[in-house]
């Protein structure tokens, strides 16, 4: 079983695009302490959602210093946003050994999408991000962690090899639907260490059951 930690922004959230977004940002010093812990622990997967500029300004140099790699899930619809990663940044991340995945176009929930919206979120976004990164994209992270049976069926149909949720339990090796733990403003090195060392409790079991309900609904 693997633990996968997911970050959003690091530092101060200059502009919330959704109410409550600041709660998903982690202070820079705390992030660096958490990363030190991850590096010494080993075997922890890391990802960064939403394509905030802190991915290249803070996360990339910190990962390199510690010999770590991560997957980055930017949004195709934000490549021209000054607070977000641009096409060149995706190329840079890839050149530095990082992986680029897809987080869709508009950061909308992927349940109950019309066929046209589903095409933009699953296919057009991937095309744009592949062009920017200069590499094929085979993984997605579910925006806002939301999914249901139809979402997963569509993603499987589009050929994605791994789909990442935010369901807070360990994931089996090479699981097609793979859970992650979001790290947010309420976390510190202690709370993350508890995830890394104590991830087989009753809460995790409840989250595993909740995942199976979501994939069937
Ligand atoms: Zn997101």
């Amino acid at each position: 079983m693997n633990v996968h930690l997911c970050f959003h922004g690091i530092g101060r959230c200059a502009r919330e695009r959704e109410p409550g977004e600041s709660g998903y940002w982690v202070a820079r010093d705390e992030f660096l302490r958490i990363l030190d812990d991850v590096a010494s622990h080993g075997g922890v997967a890391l990802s960064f959602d939403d394509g905030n500029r802190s991915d290249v300004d803070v996360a990339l140099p910190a990962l390199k210093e510690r010999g770590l790699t991560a997957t980055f899930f930017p949004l195709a619809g934000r490549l021209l946003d000054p607070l977000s990663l641009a096409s060149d940044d995706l190329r840079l991340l890839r050149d530095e050994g990082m992986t680029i995945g897809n987080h869709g176009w508009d950061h909308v929930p992927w349940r109950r999408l019309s066929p046209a919206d589903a095409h933009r979120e699953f296919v057009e976004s991937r095309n744009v991000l592949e062009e920017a990164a200069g590499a094929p994209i085979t993984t997605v992270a579910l925006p806002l962690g939301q999914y249901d049976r139809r979402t997963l069926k569509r993603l499987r149909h589009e050929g994605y090899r791994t789909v990442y949720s935010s369901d807070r339990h360990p994931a089996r090796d090479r699981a097609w639907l793979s859970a992650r733990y979001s790290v947010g403003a309420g976390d510190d090195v202690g709370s993350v260490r508890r995830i890394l060392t104590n991830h087989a409790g009753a809460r995790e079991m409840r989250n595993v059951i909740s995942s199976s309900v979501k994939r069937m609904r």
Side-chain angles (χ1 to χ4, degrees):
M1 299 294 255
N2 293 318
V3 170
H4 190 139
L5 300 178
C6 166
F7 297 90
H8 293 79
I10 302 142
R12 194 178 61 85
C13 178
R15 170 167 53 89
E16 282 199 331
R17 292 151 170 115
E18 289 133 16
E21 189 193 335
S22 302
Y24 287 91
W25 284 60
V26 180
R28 185 175 175 278
D29 290 351
E30 205 59 51
F31 170 74
L32 297 177
R33 280 195 284 273
I34 291 168
L35 219 52
D36 282 336
D37 224 37
V38 166
S40 66
H41 196 273
V44 181
L46 299 170
S47 56
F48 295 82
D49 286 9
D50 301 351
N52 289 301
R53 288 227 50 88
S54 56
D55 288 358
V56 289
D57 294 345
V58 184
L60 178 62
L63 290 165
K64 282 174 63 184
E65 270 172 33
R66 293 161 180 79
L68 298 169
T69 56
T71 304
F72 291 77
F73 292 99
L75 291 146
R78 290 188 188 167
L79 287 176
L80 299 177
D81 175 329
L83 297 179
S84 300
L85 300 179
S87 297
D88 288 352
D89 298 312
L90 303 195
R91 191 66 69 111
L92 169 69
L93 286 166
R94 199 188 140 229
D95 288 347
E96 297 286 2
M98 308 295 154
T99 304
I100 307 296
N102 187 12
H103 200 36
W105 197 284
D106 279 331
H107 211 245
V108 291
W110 281 356
R111 299 183 71 197
R112 303 187 189 93
L113 291 174
S114 70
D117 287 344
H119 191 262
R120 190 179 67 248
E121 290 292 325
F122 304 160
V123 180
E124 290 170 38
S125 58
R126 177 170 59 186
N127 292 343
V128 165
L129 294 172
E130 283 182 338
E131 175 77 26
I137 287 178
T138 60
T139 61
V140 285
L142 298 156
L144 313 166
Q146 293 194 25
Y147 64 94
D148 55 16
R149 182 168 48 177
R150 186 148 184 250
T151 311
L152 299 180
K153 191 173 167 204
R154 282 169 155 170
L155 291 169
R156 212 181 266 282
H157 176 75
E158 296 304 340
Y160 286 104
R161 284 199 210 131
T162 314
V163 176
Y164 290 100
S165 74
S166 311
D167 283 348
R168 301 187 77 80
H169 58 78
R172 272 179 294 112
D173 284 346
R174 289 194 284 275
W176 184 74
L177 178 61
S178 219
R180 303 179 296 172
Y181 292 79
S182 268
V183 180
D187 283 299
D188 57 21
V189 71
S191 70
V192 173
R193 191 172 297 159
R194 283 194 290 281
I195 293 171
L196 299 183
T197 56
N198 180 27
H199 52 71
R203 184 179 307 159
E204 264 79 10
M205 279 313 299
R206 280 197 297 277
N207 293 344
V208 169
I209 292 164
S210 154
S211 293
S212 37
V213 170
K214 288 187 210 169
R215 61 197 297 175
M216 296 305 291
R217 69 187 172 185

